[in-house]
């Protein structure tokens, strides 16, 4: 499996999870089961009267994918760097375009507050001081693709196409620095940065050849490192909750895992719920990215974001070929240019 396949898998996995969770987002688990059964089996249109996605056809993506693509393109244009005010303006322009299209899927609460602040002259370092929700984590996968990670020797794969033993790769602290730089204008709190760092580190580790379990271990290390960055807000420790959530579903079947994630881990917009929920999904379905996305999308709550994060990590670990060809075709029909973007981000990684 090539690095390119893993990078493409990360972006397509994000979009597939997002699109699967589009019609179920912000519904309860009970509502989902009553309408579609215990678990989704594929892409579905949003039901009439949906609070956010009403009218969207099966396979449509939401703000999770669109903001990740936006960030990825800014990273490519900036040769790996994104200026805070540039990101803020790009997000404002994106929301304006979404509103013009009649969409209700607009900026989240943390992002909206921070952008209004920075555009009114508040320093970027202060604008995101209260941002604790999962907006940074949902769009951070491109940073994980672009920034290589210095993995332990036990994790680095051997064989054709593997990184040479003396290859120069960035350390975990450098990856966290890049996560912070791409996030702090909207989410400059230890909780939000820890969640974003966990997702980015897992994606980067997967692209370097880590398994889902190994990527999760590295994600917790990144979350611990990032938790000390940014402003403090009250909230559970993200790294500890990832480890707890992963252990909670160990040995459970799909239905048992879904019930535990929904009732105990939580599926709200709070970073300390949704990010651990994504890693719990991966622990429950470590070998099948498509089924992991279906499980996440069936949870309820902010399940499009949970499925997007789980899909990005699973895609990085398993590569593009782990997803059904039909699902890839549905995403390609959105015209997002994910293959070219993944390749461009991979070029930054090199």
């Amino acid at each position: 499996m090539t690095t390119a396949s893993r990078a493409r898998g990360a972006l397509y996995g994000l979009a597939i999870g997002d699109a699967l969770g589009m019609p179920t987002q912000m519904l309860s688990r009970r509502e989902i089961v009553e309408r579609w059964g215990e678990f989704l089996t594929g892409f579905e249109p949003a039901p009439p009267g949906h609070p956010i996605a009403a009218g969207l056809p099966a396979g449509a993506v939401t703000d999770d994918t669109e903001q990740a693509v936006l960030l990825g393109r800014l990273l490519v244009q900036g040769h790996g760097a994104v200026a805070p005010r540039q990101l803020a303006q790009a997000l404002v322009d994106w929301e304006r375009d979404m509103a013009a299209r009649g969409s209700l899927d607009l900026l989240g609460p943390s992002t909206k507050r921070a952008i209004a602040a920075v555009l009114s002259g508040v320093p970027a370092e202060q604008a995101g001081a209260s941002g604790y929700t999962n907006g940074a984590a949902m769009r951070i996968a491109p940073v994980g693709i672009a920034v290589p990670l210095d993995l332990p020797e036990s994790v680095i794969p051997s064989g054709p196409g593997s990184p040479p033993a003396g290859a120069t790769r960035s350390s975990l602290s450098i990856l966290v620095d890049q996560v912070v730089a791409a996030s702090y204008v909207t989410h400059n709190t230890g909780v939000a940065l820890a969640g974003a760092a966990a997702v980015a580190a897992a994606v980067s580790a997967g692209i370097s050849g880590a398994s889902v379990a190994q990527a999760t271990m590295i994600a917790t290390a990144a979350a611990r490192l990032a938790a000390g960055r940014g402003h403090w807000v009250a909230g559970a420790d993200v790294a500890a909750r990832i480890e707890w959530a992963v252990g909670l579903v160990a040995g459970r079947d799909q239905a048992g895992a879904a019930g535990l994630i929904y009732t105990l881990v939580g599926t709200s917009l709070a970073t300390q719920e949704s990010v651990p929920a994504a890693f719990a999904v991966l622990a429950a379905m470590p070998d099948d990215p498509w089924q992991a996305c279906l499980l996440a999308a069936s949870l309820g709550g902010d399940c499009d974001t949970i499925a997007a994060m789980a899909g990005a990590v699973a895609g990085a670990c398993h590569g593009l070929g782990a997803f059904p060809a039909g699902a890839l075709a549905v995403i390609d029909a959105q015209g997002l240019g994910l293959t070219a973007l993944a390749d461009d981000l991979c070029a930054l990684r090199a």
Side-chain angles (χ1 to χ4, degrees), residues 163 193 317:
L193 294 173
C317 292

Side-chain angles (χ1 to χ4, degrees), residues 283-330:
M285 305 295 297
D287 301 319
D288 192 328
W290 172 245
Q291 289 299 322
C293 288
L294 288 170
L295 169 57
S298 304
L299 290 175
D302 197 14
C303 53
D304 60 327
T305 295
I306 295 168
M309 294 186 290
V313 175
C317 292
H318 290 283
L320 188 65
F323 293 102
L328 300 177
V330 168

Side-chain angles (χ1 to χ4, degrees), residues 68-95:
V69 169
L70 180 154
L71 177 59
R73 289 173 178 164
L74 290 176
L75 285 168
V76 172
Q77 293 167 14
H79 305 289
V82 179
R85 191 172 182 87
Q86 180 188 29
L87 176 59
Q89 186 61 58
L91 288 169
V92 168
D93 294 342
W94 170 82
E95 184 180 53

Side-chain angles (χ1 to χ4, degrees), residues 148-152 156 167 169-172:
L149 199 56
D150 191 8
L151 300 182
I156 299 173
R169 287 161 292 173
S170 68
S171 68
L172 193 60

Side-chain angles (χ1 to χ4, degrees), residues 190-277:
V191 168
L193 294 173
V199 175
V203 167
S204 185
I207 291 172
S208 290
S211 67
V212 165
Q214 291 165 333
T216 300
M217 174 187 68
I218 292 164
T220 60
R224 286 195 178 93
L225 188 58
R229 309 290 291 273
H231 296 264
W232 179 86
V233 291
D237 182 86
V238 173
R241 280 184 58 83
I242 290 173
E243 291 178 333
W244 166 75
V246 166
L248 187 67
V249 302
R252 305 283 183 171
D253 61 16
Q254 193 174 8
L260 289 170
I261 295 168
Y262 180 69
T263 58
L264 294 181
V265 181
T267 60
S268 75
L269 285 86
T271 300
Q272 64 268 35
E273 289 192 7
S274 54
V275 172

